[in-house]
Amino acid sequence: MADHTPTFADICSAIADGQVAATIEDSMYQLNVYELRRYLNKFRSLPVVSSADGQDSSPHSDIQNWSVPIQSSVA
């Protein structure tokens, strides 16, 4: 399943199959963004780990490239 771009139909099927938790309120499905992310991450390949030869030995040498997680919601 790696390197497959999921479609809207894939997500709908995953909800119908119970692979993505969803609740129904009125006529709308509500999804937890973390559940959706967990499902979508199944389609991504894991990064290739290369040897550390020639790299900086400091564990925090790339501190400027760190990202900060954010929370978002859809109303």
Side-chain angles (χ1 to χ4, degrees), residues 2-75:
D3 292 331
H4 169 74
T5 302
T7 63
F8 185 68
D10 292 329
I11 295 170
C12 292
S13 294
I15 293 168
D17 293 342
Q19 295 176 9
V20 175
T23 58
I24 301 174
E25 189 171 311
D26 296 324
S27 62
M28 297 181 71
Y29 284 94
Q30 293 185 348
L31 304 176
N32 181 315
V33 69
Y34 295 112
E35 288 293 317
L36 184 60
R37 178 185 284 176
R38 183 185 55 80
Y39 173 74
L40 294 174
N41 279 340
K42 292 179 184 180
F43 294 96
R44 293 180 24 189
S45 296
L46 294 175
V48 176
V49 178
S50 61
S51 66
D53 293 338
Q55 293 182 354
D56 190 325
S57 61
S58 171
H60 301 292
S61 62
D62 62 344
I63 197 164
Q64 288 82 16
N65 296 329
W66 288 7
S67 62
V68 177
I70 60 169
Q71 291 182 348
S72 62
S73 63
V74 177

